[in-house]
Amino acid sequence: MTDCPCGSARDFEECCGPIIEGAPAPTAEALMRSRYTAYVTGAFDHIENTHAPEVQGDFNRSAAESMALGAKWTGLEIREVTGGGADDQTGTVEFVTRFKRGGENYAHHELSNFRRQDGRWVYVDGDINPKPATRIVEKVGRNDPCPCRSGKKFKKCCGA
C-alpha cells in the first residue's frame, strides 16, 4: 500500500489509481487530484484524455512531460471547491501545486474549471494565479450622514 501523491491520505489504488486507469472521477476535485497524480507519476495519457474536446489541441504533451519529469513534486493543496459534485454539471477547483526544479522551489496556483461531459468530468480551462475579489469599501466623509442611521453627521456620531 502506498499513499496517493494527491495528499488525500488514502491508498493510491483506492484514490487516484482507478481514475488514472480509466474509471470516471466521481467529482471535479477527484479529477483534479488524479491529474496532479498523473503529473507526479508520468501518466500523461490521463492528462491528455481528461481535457475537454475543445481544448485537447492546446495540450502540448512534450512540454508537459519535460516540465513534469524534471520536477520533484512536493505537494498539492486544495484551496477551494465550488460545485463539481455528483449532481452538478460544472465545478471549479482552486489549488496550489508545489515542486522543486534545479534546486529551486516553485508553486503553481490555478483556479480550474471542469464540466461533466457524457457522464465524465473533464478539464475545461484554468486561470493561473487568480486574484482575489476586489473588496469595495465605501468611505464615509466627516459631514456625511452617519451609516448607523441616527440622523446625525458622522463626525458627531460614530466618527466622534
Side-chain angles (χ1 to χ4, degrees):
M1 292 182 80
T2 58
D3 286 342
C4 191
C6 77
S8 66
R10 295 173 49 206
D11 182 63
F12 173 76
E13 295 302 324
E14 297 172 355
C15 189
C16 293
I19 299 169
I20 290 172
E21 291 299 317
T27 64
E29 180 182 353
L31 180 62
M32 176 32 247
R33 287 181 177 278
S34 73
R35 287 171 56 87
Y36 169 80
T37 299
Y39 274 102
V40 173
T41 61
F44 296 100
D45 285 344
H46 175 65
I47 297 164
E48 194 166 7
N49 294 335
T50 55
H51 277 85
E54 66 272 15
V55 296
Q56 280 184 341
D58 297 338
F59 179 64
N60 185 335
R61 185 178 178 129
S62 63
E65 288 175 348
S66 174
M67 186 279 301
L69 297 175
K72 179 183 180 337
W73 298 91
T74 57
L76 169 66
E77 172 192 350
I78 303 292
R79 291 206 171 160
E80 185 175 359
V81 177
T82 305
D87 298 326
D88 297 317
Q89 293 301 308
T90 62
T92 62
V93 180
E94 182 180 359
F95 66 93
V96 177
T97 61
R98 299 187 195 292
F99 58 96
K100 266 188 152 171
R101 237 179 140 181
E104 296 284 324
N105 289 316
Y106 293 93
H108 173 83
H109 181 196
E110 185 172 332
L111 178 61
S112 293
N113 296 300
F114 297 89
R115 80 163 177 260
R116 193 184 301 273
Q117 182 163 330
D118 300 327
R120 299 177 77 87
W121 285 104
V122 293
Y123 171 82
V124 178
D125 60 15
D127 182 17
I128 297 173
N129 295 323
K131 305 285 184 247
T134 305
R135 196 173 139 202
I136 299 172
V137 178
E138 200 174 305
K139 187 173 180 181
V140 180
R142 290 176 33 87
N143 291 315
D144 290 341
C146 192
C148 77
R149 301 179 191 241
S150 66
K152 299 178 183 178
K153 288 184 178 183
F154 179 69
K155 66 182 179 186
K156 296 283 187 177
C157 188
C158 295

